[in-house]
Structure formats: C-alpha cells, structure tokens
Amino acid sequence: MSMNNSPNVFLDPSPNRFQVNVINESHDNNATPQEDADPPHYEETSFTEEAHGRHRISHRPGNRALYENFIQNGDTVKSDGNLHPYDTHSNTYYLKTFGHNTVDAVPNIDYYRNTGSISGAKMNRPSLLEIHEQLAKNIAVNPGSIERITNGDGTPGDEATANKEEESKGGFVKFGWVKGVLVRCMLNIWGVMLFIRLSWIVGQAGIGLGVVIILLATTVTSITGLSTSAIATNGFVRGGGAYYLISRSLGPEFGGSIGLIFAFANAVAVAMYVVGFAETVVELLKSSGALMVDESNDIRIIGSITVVVLLGISVAGMEWEAKAQVILLVILLIAIANFFIGTVIPTSNEKKAKGFFNYQASIFAENFGPVFRGEGFFSVFAIFFPAATGILAGANISGDLEDPQAAIPKGTMLAILITSVAYLGVAICVAACVVRDATGNTNDTVVSGMNCNGSSACTLGYDFSSCKAQECRYGLMNNFQVMSMVSGFGPLITAGIFSATLSSALASLVSAPKVFQALCKDNIYKALHFFAKGYGKNNEPLRGYVLTFIIAMAFILIAELNTIAPIISNFFLASYALINFSCFHASYAKSPGWRPAFKYYNMWVSLFGAMLCCGVMFVINWWAALITYAIELFLYIYVTYKKPEVNWGSSAQALYYVNALDSALELTAVEDHVKNFRPQCIVLTGGPMTRPALLDITHSFTKNNGLCICCQVYTGPRKLCVKEMNSGMAKKQAWLTKNKRKAFYAAVAADSFRDGVKSLLQASGLGRMRPNTLVLGFKTDWRDASAVQIENYMGVIHDAFDFELGVVIVRISQGFDISQVLQVQEELEKLEQERLALEATIKDNEFEEESRGICGLFGKARKLNITKRVTKKDSSINTIQSMHVGEFNQRLLEASNQFKKKQGKGTIDVWWLFDDGGLTLLIPYILTMRKKWKDCKLRIFTGGKINRIEDEKLAMTSLLSKFRIKYADIKIIGNINMKPNKESWKFFEEMIEPHRLHESCKDLTTAEKLKRETPWKITDAELEAFKEKSYRQVRLNELLQAYSRAANLIVLSLPVAKKGVVSDHLYMAWLEILSKNLPPILLVRGNHKNVLTFYS
C-alpha cells in the first residue's frame, strides 16, 4: 500500500533550513537505486500530509506572497508573518519545527540553562501538556515568548535582570587560561621557599631524597589537579573556586565548612606572604643601617603599607590586578633564569670560599645522599610542602574566567608541570655546585700533603674541615642566601623574592573575598549574607576585600605567624583532600550526571590523593591537623543542623539513592519473619496538613519503626485533578519534612474515592517495604452522607481485607478535618502580608520625601492621607481577625494537636476481644515505647465465660508473659453477651431508623420496588438476622463507658462485616455505637496472620 503517492519534493533544490526528502513507498517505484543493495526498510515516516489527501506546501525565497494561506488539519490558518526563532534568513516562511506544523522543538542549549544565566537566556520548550493535549489544535506560537527568561512564573528574576544589565554595559573582564590560571598558579606555587629554603632542603636530604620530597609534593598537587580538572569540567563552573567545586559535589555540609576555613586561610596567607616580604626589606634596611624603629615594628610598618597598596590594586579591578601579576611573573622568571646563568659563570675565589665551585661531579656525588642535622625526612618534607601549594589560585577566580571548564584543567596542570621542573632543576643544580659547609675564608686552602678523606671541597683546593668543630656561616646547610651568591646578579634574586611574596599575597588577597562572596551568596551562614553583595561591572566583593584586609592587618600587627602558619597549610591541605574525595565520591556514586569532559583521572587515584593529603597534614604538624579537623567537624555539624535550603544535586544525594536502592533490593531477598513484623501503614489523611491528628497517632507507632504513607485521592475532572495533584506533591512532602514527620506522601487521581484507594493499596510501597495496615478516620458524617459515599467508604474497608491488610479506624470526639481552620488562617496571612507590604510602601514614600529635603514639606498632607487610610485598613484587619478568631473551633484545634503533646500518667485500655494475629495488642505496646506515651500503662480487657473467669485470666496472663508484654491489669469481661439496657437500644434504633426499609409493613410488590430503588437500606430481615450482633455492639459501648471512660486511649477489636451480607449502613451504625462518647479510640483488626511470637 502506498502511503505517499505524490512525486512532489521541495521545489527549492537548496532549502534554507532542514532538508526533508519525500519517501515514495509505492511498490511500483521505478526509481533507480543509487546502490546495488538497499538496506531493509523497517518503518518509514513521512512528515508530509499528502497521505490524508492534503496539499503539501513547498516554498522557496521570493514567492512568499503565494502562500499567505495554507491548510492545517483541514482548516485555513492565516500566517502571522513571524520568522522561526532559529531562522537566520529573514525571507524564510515560518513553519515551526523542521518547516512543518508541529509544536515540538529541536534540541537547543538554551533550554538547559539555569535561570539568570549570564552566558545566554533560558528558553522554555513546549510543555508535555501542550504537546500531549493540544497537538491537534491551532496553537499560535509567538517566537518572542521563546526568548523569555523564566523564574518559575515566566518573569525574569532579579539575578537574571542584573546580569543582563551588566552584560549590556559591555564591561566584563574575563581571563583566558594563561592570564587567568597559568600565571596565577605559577606565581602562587613559586614562593619564597624557592629562593631561601630549597638549597637548605637539598643540603639536608641530599639530591636523591630531595628529588623524592619534591616529587612526593608534586604527586599530591598533581592528583589534586586532576581531581580539580575532572570536577571543573563536569558542568558550568561559577565563582567560588575550591568552595564551589566541593559544595556542588559533596553538598553544602562539606562545602560550607571547608569554604569558610579556606577563605580564612587565604586571608591569613596574605599576612604570611606580606610579612615574608617585609622581613626581606627589613634585612636590607638592617644591612645598610637604615632601620626606622626596630626590626619587629619595621616589619609591622612595611607590612601595613604593603597590604594597603595591594588592596588598592585589587579594588581597582581584576584587570589591574592581572597586569600586576604578569609584571611580577616576568620579574620572577628573570630571577630564576639569573640563577641558572650564574651556575655556569666561572666562580671567583670569594665564592669558592663560600662553597660555590660551578658544576662538579664530586660535589654532585657528595651531596647525593642525605645528611640530616636535627631534622628528619618528614620534617624536611613538612618545611618544603607549602612551596608546592597554590594550585587553586586559578580555580579560586573561576567566576572571572572566560571558559573555566577549559582554563582550569589546562592552566593548573601546566603550572604544576612547569613549577615542578623548575624546583627539580634548581635543587639539582644548586646541589651540584655548592658544598654543604664552607667557612667563607679565602685563606682556608688545602695544605700540601693533607688527606682529604673524600671531601669534594678538599679535592678542589679548599679546607672546610673546621666546620665539623664549629658552625660555619656558608654552604647549603648554613646559608639561606645561596641562590643570591650563585646567581649572575644578586639583586635580581632579591627582586625575585619580592615578586614571589607580593604575587602570592596578591593572589590570596583576591581569592579570599571571591571564595567568601560565593559562600555568602549561597546563604549557608545567614549571618554572613551581608558580604554577598558585589559592586561594579565585575561584581567585585568590596565588603569581602575590607574584611580580608582587616584580618590580614590583624595578623601582620601580631607578627607571630610561626604558630598560625602550620594551621594555614593544613587548611589548604584539607581543601585538597576534600577536592580529591569529591572526585572519588562523584565517581563512586555512579550518578548519570557525573560526565566530566576531562578523562585523565581515576576514582581510586583520587581517593589515594585524599588519604595522602590527610597523611601530609599530620606529617606537617599533628596538632594543627587535629585543630583543622575539629574546626571542620564543628562547621559540618552546624551546617547539617541548620539544613540550608539548597539543592545542588551533590554526589552525596546520588549515593543516598544508590545505598537506598541496594538496601531495598537486599531486603527483597529476605523472607518476612514474625519477629521483624512492624506496622507499615497507608494513612488516608488527604493532604497531611488537613488531618494532623490522624497522622500524629499513626506516626506515634510507625516513627523509626515502620513505613508511613500519607495518601490523598483526587476525584473529579481528570485534567484538573492531575494538574492539582502534580502541583501539590512537592509542597505536601515538604510539609511532612518541615514538621519532622517521617512519612511519605502519595496521591492518585481516580474516578471515585474507592478506586483511588484500591490503586494505592495495590501499588504503594517497594519490595518488602509495602503497607500491611490501612489507617483511616471514622466517617462522622455518615448519617448525612449519600449512599455512594457510604458505599465508597465501606468498599475501602472491604478492599483492604481482600488484599489481606490490617485495618485501623481512628475516632476522636471533634473529628480530624481542620481544612476550614487552615483556610481562615491562610486568609489572615494574606491580609497580614498586604498590611506589611502597605507599611513598606509608606516607609519608602517617607524616605523619598525626606530625601527631597524641603520638597518633603509639600508631601505632608499626602502622607497624612496615606496614614489615615492605613489606620482604616489596620482597623478593618483587626475587625476581620477578631471576627474569624471568634469563629475558630478552638476544641477542634486542640483535638488536632492532642497527639503531639506528652500524654500524662494514665492508661491505654486494650479490648482484645478477637484474635486477629496480635495487631490489636502490638500497636498499643509500641505506643508505650514512645516518649509521649511511656507514662501510660496497658490494661487488657477480653471476653470470657462467667464461670471460668479466673482460668481465663490465668491463661491471658500466661500468654502476655510469653509475649514479654508488660501490663498493669487484666480484666475478663463475662457479661458481654447480655442484652443492653433499654435506653441504649432505643438510641441505636432511633439512629438507624432513617436508613431502614421497613419492608415487612408493606405489601410484597411495594417492598420489592423499594428494594430496587433503595438497595442500600437496612431490611427488617437483615436487622433480625444480626440482632444478637447489634446487641453486642451496644452492650460493648456500655462496658467501655463503665471501664474505659477515663483512659487516655482505647484500642478495640474491630468487628468485621461479611461482604454482601451486612449492609453498609448497619455496619456504620455498629461502628458509631461502639465508639460514641468515648476518649480517642482505635478500632483495630489485623489480617489474622501472626504478628507476635513467643519463640526466640
């Protein structure tokens, strides 16, 4: 059969947009195939509408006027003349997706953006509802609407507006990978250590172990760099550096704790680097005899001036700061090159006396092995490791990078490589040129005939043997200025020291506010939100700069950084450890969202890196490591307790899911056992906030013990029900979480209440975590309800028994539904919001008037009128409020909260009349285990024969002792089957009177007609058949009134109505008379399978 017999194709051989070839599916197709063998055709789809006898519109530029009207689904639709949003040709006819009339949108990056994205506007794809329900309708699509930025309601948010305004200014400063990452990382890694400590480290550890120390430090930083690269390429990276990477991977608890200490560490690091710079300057002043006051105060003065200058550069803008960094890098590179040049310049006698002999194999061999003097391998490593830190300098300004995903991996890893090679080169070269000890005396030459004992200096003509007896001033072990001596031009090394310290200080001064601002923007610590505000075109954190400046100044003035330095190093290492752990955790969680573009990482290597960082923390300083862990733990607990309202899709969430899924699957393989039975309840609360007391009593015996699912059934027009249900799901689950109810919320849309509950009873739960008990409130309005409503209610109970679930019907005197109270409260809240909004408007008006100065005098009358209106409004609000408060049913509110309160000393009376497997006994026992019910004692009531009361009591005592259930008293009721008194029976008869058929008083024809018209009514035959059972229910109420009127709670065996035999109204009358005028009562019936056992 041919689906498309038309030979038409697009008339335009080169269409402007998508080429759609018409497939001719006729079997008599004579077209010559392009290939010898065509692939098999499984299914062929044509976008054309000619199969339905409609015209196919072809269009090419220039003939637009011919096609002002076209046929769509049999209707003529006038074109609006708008262009397709993705069309770049202004003369192309707008025919929606693929040039055809379909609402479906093609894949586009703008659909996946966040609200307020500065890299592009978020667009809304057509919703599933629009596509699913309105595909056949004529939908006018306005291309302009596609460009809107939504913030939940289609309106641009504040952040989006601000970003758009900033973009329009065109003043953004964005850095590439060289300027933004490579330069910063190199400057931060190359510190003072390179110039004044590396020679001493290689003197202590020797070339061999010195290289090991450098490579070990490089291993830590390289693994961290790989982990950083993986995380940074797993999606768009915003500002915040290490904090952003950790918080978005591990969640706000880890991110919030490490973010605060990382920002603080950077702020104190500013002081450390500035003091290092100031000490070098003071040494120069001291050597020239130009000290201002004394050494300590000079350090404070120079340090303070330096911080002010650096702050000025930072506040001037990132562009100026970047230029300063480039200049400092150039100076640093010249200083390093100056050192290498100096090693090949022939040495002088003065330098030889100080231990420098150019490259000598004998010196290399002598310095290859370690000679530790008062140090060990790990102590030397601890001194060197801070020189390798600084790899996050580029990541810390991630918000200022043009393409963070590409820049961070490339710049960070290259910086680690370059700096590591430089460290290794300097270490090996200096150890191959300079001996460990030298006197500096040019007269200490070798005397002829002297035995050198393998000393390289001796073989080179110098005798430094006196250094064994007394400490010498020169050589690798003694002189921290070896690099200045070796270099071609000494002052350049001093310039390099200045460059290294100032660049590191500048990088830290920029990093600390940026990280801190990102932390404050997330509002994890609400008290710090003040520092979230940014200024200028680049959103500069000026408040953060001021705070960083104050912290840095405080530590500079203290000038005792030797104690704080190890803690700062450990703060950085803690960040590295968590970045590595983040990478491992994200990989281990196997979340589909973990798709880093950077592939050169391994989860186990990242875990090893995290452990290595933790080990290095203790190697550097064990007490500083403990302090770091203690601070981090405290902040972690604080953030966890506060529960910030953020959802970043962290790997912790992914792992929770995986663990829960694994546990659920493992549980499925475990057979149920009576010892592990627990009530797992479906609770028909409707919206959980509308029947809180029903939820509370159920929660009392399911919390931390069993499953609790609050269920709601929506009935009515399906479209409206589904819409209302979908919109309320998250809100109602959030209410449960907020009110600390360990329960789930589930809802269904159904044709009737019974059908909905039936679906819930069958489909709720997962594996072994399936409901086994139905909990519902007693239908107090059953006498006024329609027959259909009663049938639905009773049908739910019958269905629960059919599915072998236990049933618990709860009744309290005031009923459960407080929806009317909630509605009134909601109205009052709206009025209060209006009042507050009005007050805010008035304050704004007053401020504007005052700011105008004398013009404010002319606004007095207007202000007076507004105030009068407000007073009037307030009084009306108060009137409404007092009116509604008067209407509140206070007893209903109190009843709805009664199970939230601690129950005082009293009893839970258990009327265990029928053996249902033990659920009637288990539920009250669980209640007595709860804090709110622990002061209540169990009293057990059961039926028995009058002549065997003592025997029955002994039997029950024995049974309860075997069940290990504590009780206060056992009461055997021997007169349950007695007739009730006349008043009680009369009340029962009056209650059922409106629902009786009275067919015996009518002729047969009339009686049959009444049965057909009102089949739900209670017949005389039915009433007579179940007269004894009715007597029992009325009599039980009398006994309950006599024995349990003062109980805190009554738990009573629920009578079961035989399906199709006992009418719905008669059964409801039984429940009514059983539970009338009593304390809160639970009518319980298990599924007659054991839930208690006395076997171990």
Side-chain angles (χ1 to χ4, degrees):
M1 186 185 80
S2 175
M3 290 177 66
N4 186 354
N5 296 320
S6 172
N8 280 349
V9 294
F10 276 101
L11 299 178
D12 189 354
S14 57
N16 288 320
R17 295 182 63 244
F18 297 91
Q19 175 71 53
V20 181
N21 294 322
V22 176
I23 301 169
N24 192 328
E25 297 175 282
S26 175
H27 291 292
D28 57 352
N29 187 359
N30 296 322
T32 305
Q34 293 180 358
E35 297 177 3
D36 293 337
D38 287 336
H41 291 261
Y42 297 105
E43 181 181 358
E44 295 184 349
T45 304
S46 173
F47 285 101
T48 63
E49 297 172 338
E50 294 169 19
H52 302 283
R54 295 180 176 86
H55 298 291
R56 188 184 192 295
I57 299 173
S58 59
H59 172 74
R60 58 186 172 186
N63 59 358
R64 176 172 180 165
L66 300 175
Y67 302 103
E68 284 297 320
N69 296 289
F70 65 97
I71 307 300
Q72 177 188 4
N73 298 328
D75 299 325
T76 303
V77 179
K78 179 73 177 174
S79 168
D80 60 2
N82 287 329
L83 300 179
H84 192 280
Y86 302 111
D87 233 318
T88 54
H89 299 276
S90 59
N91 57 354
T92 302
Y93 186 69
Y94 175 54
L95 283 174
K96 301 180 184 174
T97 309
F98 296 131
H100 290 270
N101 187 28
T102 172
V103 182
D104 262 335
V106 294
N108 188 286
I109 190 172
D110 293 330
Y111 293 135
Y112 298 89
R113 298 191 190 281
N114 284 336
T115 301
S117 171
I118 60 172
S119 53
K122 176 179 170 60
M123 290 166 50
N124 284 339
R125 70 177 63 82
S127 70
L128 187 60
L129 192 68
E130 290 170 345
I131 294 171
H132 187 216
E133 297 202 357
Q134 301 185 28
L135 189 59
K137 297 179 182 179
N138 301 330
I139 306 170
V141 178
N142 180 11
S145 67
I146 298 175
E147 297 171 5
R148 63 188 172 173
I149 302 170
T150 61
N151 196 12
D153 54 0
T155 57
D158 295 338
E159 187 183 348
T161 309
N163 287 331
K164 211 166 184 181
E165 286 175 4
E166 286 172 9
E167 243 184 339
S168 65
K169 292 177 188 176
F172 275 107
V173 178
K174 294 289 182 182
F175 303 115
W177 70 275
V178 175
K179 226 178 181 182
V181 183
L182 180 65
V183 170
R184 289 173 186 282
C185 287
M186 286 170 63
L187 281 169
N188 229 23
I189 295 170
W190 279 332
V192 183
M193 205 68 69
L194 174 66
F195 296 104
I196 63 175
R197 284 293 184 276
L198 190 56
S199 57
W200 176 85
I201 286 165
V202 80
Q204 288 275 355
I207 295 172
L209 288 182
V211 169
V212 170
I213 286 171
I214 294 169
L215 291 177
L216 183 58
T218 303
T219 301
V220 174
T221 54
S222 297
I223 294 172
T224 307
L226 293 172
S227 299
T228 304
S229 302
I231 299 171
T233 56
N234 189 53
F236 184 76
V237 179
R238 295 182 182 273
Y243 159 72
Y244 185 88
L245 299 178
I246 294 169
S247 62
R248 267 48 175 188
S249 294
L250 291 179
E253 295 84 6
F254 278 110
S257 57
I258 202 65
L260 200 59
I261 65 174
F262 187 70
F264 177 76
N266 272 289
V268 179
V270 175
M272 286 175 59
Y273 295 129
V274 167
V275 167
F277 168 76
E279 283 179 351
T280 310
V281 175
V282 169
E283 283 295 322
L284 291 174
L285 293 174
K286 186 180 176 183
S287 62
S288 59
L291 286 175
M292 291 177 281
V293 185
D294 56 53
E295 286 187 36
S296 296
N297 285 316
D298 280 13
I299 290 171
R300 292 187 178 103
I301 293 166
I302 293 167
S304 301
I305 294 168
T306 307
V307 169
V308 171
V309 172
L310 293 177
L311 180 67
I313 295 171
S314 302
V315 171
M318 289 297 292
E319 198 170 1
W320 283 95
E321 188 266 349
K323 288 175 182 176
Q325 292 280 28
V326 171
I327 294 168
L328 293 170
L329 179 64
V330 170
I331 295 169
L332 199 56
L333 290 172
I334 291 170
I336 294 170
N338 175 50
F339 163 75
F340 285 112
I341 292 168
T343 58
V344 295
I345 295 174
T347 184
S348 63
N349 289 333
E350 187 179 344
K351 286 186 178 182
K352 284 181 180 179
K354 292 180 179 178
F356 173 48
F357 296 93
N358 294 113
Y359 292 105
Q360 300 293 335
S362 59
I363 295 177
F364 183 90
E366 184 180 69
N367 289 342
F368 191 82
V371 178
F372 292 114
R373 297 180 190 171
E375 302 289 347
F377 175 81
F378 289 110
S379 64
V380 172
F381 174 77
I383 291 166
F384 171 76
F385 185 80
T389 60
I391 61 169
L392 296 178
N396 286 339
I397 62 157
S398 52
D400 296 297
L401 299 176
E402 211 167 277
D403 184 6
Q405 288 180 281
I408 291 173
K410 199 187 299 183
T412 304
M413 296 312 296
L414 189 58
I416 292 170
L417 177 65
I418 293 170
T419 53
S420 299
V421 169
Y423 276 129
L424 287 171
V426 170
I428 293 169
C429 288
V430 77
C433 296
V434 183
V435 295
R436 281 193 168 98
D437 295 294
T439 59
N441 189 347
T442 54
N443 295 322
D444 287 342
T445 54
V446 175
V447 180
S448 59
M450 181 179 174
N451 185 10
C452 290
N453 293 325
S455 169
S456 57
C458 182
T459 57
L460 294 169
Y462 280 82
D463 177 18
F464 298 142
S465 57
S466 61
C467 292
K468 293 177 182 178
Q470 61 182 22
E471 189 176 333
C472 294
R473 291 178 56 197
Y474 297 99
L476 295 175
M477 303 288 277
N478 309 304
N479 183 14
F480 291 150
Q481 302 297 327
V482 166
M483 284 190 69
S484 296
M485 177 190 69
V486 172
S487 65
F489 182 61
L492 276 178
I493 298 298
T494 304
I497 294 171
F498 289 171
S499 173
T501 51
L502 292 176
S503 62
S504 298
L506 196 54
S508 297
L509 187 58
V510 170
S511 298
K514 294 279 184 184
V515 172
F516 193 59
Q517 183 187 34
L519 175 68
C520 297
K521 271 186 177 178
D522 289 335
N523 209 19
I524 291 176
Y525 303 100
K526 296 188 184 298
L528 302 177
H529 192 65
F530 172 79
F531 295 97
K533 185 173 174 59
Y535 295 87
K537 60 189 178 184
N538 242 44
N539 199 31
E540 294 291 347
L542 296 186
R543 295 174 179 178
Y545 280 127
V546 172
L547 182 63
T548 305
F549 171 76
I550 292 168
I551 293 170
M553 281 293 291
F555 280 96
I556 288 169
L557 295 175
I558 292 169
E560 288 293 334
L561 295 177
N562 290 338
T563 305
I564 201 74
I567 298 176
I568 301 309
S569 296
N570 274 324
F571 280 180
F572 287 128
L573 272 169
S575 305
Y576 296 170
L578 277 178
I579 286 175
N580 283 310
F581 185 72
S582 299
C583 184
F584 162 77
H585 200 270
S587 304
Y588 182 74
K590 296 184 178 70
S591 171
W594 174 249
R595 302 184 302 274
F598 185 82
K599 299 298 180 185
Y600 305 103
Y601 75 97
N602 180 277
M603 60 184 283
W604 300 111
V605 171
S606 294
L607 180 62
F608 172 72
M611 295 168 66
L612 201 59
C613 288
C614 293
V616 170
M617 287 173 70
F618 281 96
V619 166
I620 289 176
N621 193 305
W622 66 267
W623 58 262
L626 290 176
I627 290 172
T628 304
Y629 284 130
I631 294 171
E632 195 172 326
L633 181 64
F634 170 76
L635 292 173
Y636 178 89
I637 293 169
Y638 173 81
V639 176
T640 305
Y641 175 75
K642 287 294 183 181
K643 287 188 175 67
E645 295 176 2
V646 292
N647 182 10
W648 294 323
S650 66
S651 59
Q653 293 173 345
L655 198 61
Y656 291 155
Y657 177 83
V658 170
N659 290 340
L661 187 62
D662 289 343
S663 298
L665 289 169
E666 287 171 14
L667 192 62
T668 306
V670 178
E671 290 294 327
D672 288 332
H673 194 281
V674 63
K675 285 196 294 185
N676 292 323
F677 177 87
R678 59 198 67 223
Q680 306 201 109
C681 301
I682 275 189
V683 196
L684 301 183
T685 57
M689 62 283 289
T690 58
R691 292 176 178 83
L694 183 60
L695 173 59
D696 290 338
I697 188 64
T698 311
H699 192 250
S700 296
F701 58 83
T702 60
K703 181 183 178 184
N704 299 328
N705 192 55
L707 183 70
C708 181
I709 307 175
C710 298
C711 295
Q712 185 168 10
V713 178
Y714 289 88
T715 57
R718 185 170 182 79
K719 186 177 177 182
L720 292 174
C721 285
V722 170
K723 186 178 180 182
E724 187 182 352
M725 180 180 73
N726 290 340
S727 63
M729 291 285 280
K731 179 185 174 184
K732 286 162 186 173
Q733 184 63 56
W735 185 91
L736 289 169
T737 306
K738 183 182 177 183
N739 288 273
K740 298 180 181 177
R741 296 290 176 267
K742 294 188 176 181
F744 299 96
Y745 172 76
V748 291
D751 295 331
S752 70
F753 176 71
R754 182 180 182 180
D755 288 343
V757 177
K758 194 184 292 185
S759 300
L760 289 164
L761 292 174
Q762 294 177 89
S764 295
L766 187 69
R768 296 286 177 197
M769 293 186 294
R770 297 182 66 82
N772 54 31
T773 308
L774 171 69
V775 181
L776 67 165
F778 178 68
K779 190 169 181 62
T780 52
D781 64 342
W782 68 273
R783 281 181 276 186
D784 302 320
S786 66
V788 174
Q789 288 177 317
I790 301 295
E791 185 184 0
N792 276 330
Y793 184 83
M794 282 301 303
V796 165
I797 297 172
H798 288 309
D799 291 338
F801 287 138
D802 287 344
F803 297 135
E804 295 190 335
L805 269 73
V807 174
V808 178
I809 299 176
V810 189
R811 183 175 187 180
I812 58 175
S813 58
Q814 300 299 320
F816 291 107
D817 192 356
I818 61 165
S819 53
Q820 289 184 346
V821 176
L822 294 176
Q823 191 176 350
V824 171
Q825 287 178 344
E826 192 176 339
E827 288 174 8
L828 288 175
E829 283 174 9
K830 284 181 182 177
L831 287 170
E832 180 65 16
Q833 287 173 1
E834 286 177 16
R835 186 180 68 80
L836 292 172
L838 193 62
E839 283 182 358
T841 307
I842 292 165
K843 284 180 183 176
D844 289 343
N845 289 338
E846 287 176 356
F847 177 76
E848 285 175 14
E849 287 166 10
E850 287 171 7
S851 64
R852 292 192 200 114
I854 196 165
C855 297
L857 294 171
F858 297 100
K860 279 185 178 178
R862 184 161 46 89
K863 190 196 301 183
L864 195 62
N865 290 335
I866 292 171
T867 309
K868 283 178 180 175
R869 286 200 298 271
V870 173
T871 309
K872 203 170 183 179
K873 178 89 174 176
D874 282 346
S875 63
S876 66
I877 289 170
N878 291 332
T879 306
I880 293 167
Q881 191 169 354
S882 60
M883 180 180 68
H884 281 300
V885 168
E887 293 173 2
F888 279 175
N889 189 332
Q890 291 299 329
R891 285 188 298 172
L892 179 60
L893 282 174
E894 287 170 12
S896 70
N897 292 320
Q898 64 181 306
F899 299 123
K900 288 187 177 76
K901 301 170 185 174
K902 183 174 173 61
Q903 306 296 315
K905 287 187 178 180
T907 63
I908 298 176
D909 287 0
V910 183
W911 289 71
W912 193 17
L913 304 178
F914 312 110
D915 196 328
D916 59 351
L919 187 65
T920 308
L921 190 59
L922 180 63
I923 287 176
Y925 167 74
I926 294 172
L927 283 174
T928 59
M929 297 293 103
R930 303 302 187 193
K931 192 183 293 184
K932 290 174 183 171
W933 293 88
K934 68 178 182 179
D935 293 333
C936 294
K937 306 297 182 186
L938 290 184
R939 292 198 304 173
I940 312 298
F941 295 82
T942 188
K945 295 178 181 176
I946 295 176
N947 58 351
R948 296 189 68 243
I949 285 180
E950 287 304 319
D951 293 339
E952 302 267 3
K953 189 170 184 178
L954 286 171
M956 180 57 69
T957 303
S958 174
L959 181 60
L960 291 175
S961 64
K962 285 181 179 179
F963 284 151
R964 302 170 305 283
I965 290 177
K966 293 180 180 179
Y967 58 90
D969 189 20
I970 294 176
K971 182 76 175 174
I972 307 299
I973 308 296
N975 55 355
I976 290 178
N977 291 322
M978 286 177 60
K979 278 189 178 182
N981 62 49
K982 291 180 180 179
E983 290 78 10
S984 300
W985 182 250
K986 185 181 178 184
F987 176 83
F988 178 77
E989 286 185 320
E990 288 173 355
M991 181 172 61
I992 63 172
E993 179 61 32
H995 311 291
R996 290 184 62 181
L997 192 66
H998 290 295
E999 79 280 6
S1000 58
C1001 304
K1002 300 174 178 63
D1003 60 81
L1004 188 63
T1005 308
T1006 308
E1008 289 299 323
K1009 184 182 177 184
L1010 285 171
K1011 281 183 183 179
R1012 285 195 303 273
E1013 290 174 355
T1014 55
W1016 49 269
K1017 285 200 171 184
I1018 304 167
T1019 64
D1020 293 339
E1022 178 191 7
L1023 193 60
E1024 186 62 33
F1026 293 104
K1027 195 164 191 177
E1028 290 298 322
K1029 206 164 185 179
S1030 298
Y1031 279 157
R1032 187 193 304 150
Q1033 314 311 325
V1034 179
R1035 174 62 181 157
L1036 275 172
N1037 183 261
E1038 291 176 352
L1039 292 169
L1040 286 163
Q1041 296 283 353
Y1043 289 104
S1044 298
R1045 182 114 182 145
N1048 293 53
L1049 181 71
I1050 298 172
V1051 181
L1052 172 68
S1053 293
L1054 174 71
V1056 177
K1058 287 192 176 181
K1059 194 165 54 171
V1061 178
V1062 178
S1063 65
D1064 296 341
H1065 280 76
L1066 180 58
Y1067 185 71
M1068 290 303 297
W1070 289 352
L1071 298 184
E1072 173 74 34
I1073 198 67
L1074 259 178
S1075 56
K1076 189 169 182 63
N1077 298 329
L1078 288 170
I1081 183 168
L1082 272 61
L1083 300 166
V1084 180
R1085 175 67 69 150
N1087 62 358
H1088 286 242
K1089 294 179 181 177
N1090 288 348
V1091 301
L1092 292 171
T1093 182
F1094 47 79
Y1095 295 108
S1096 60

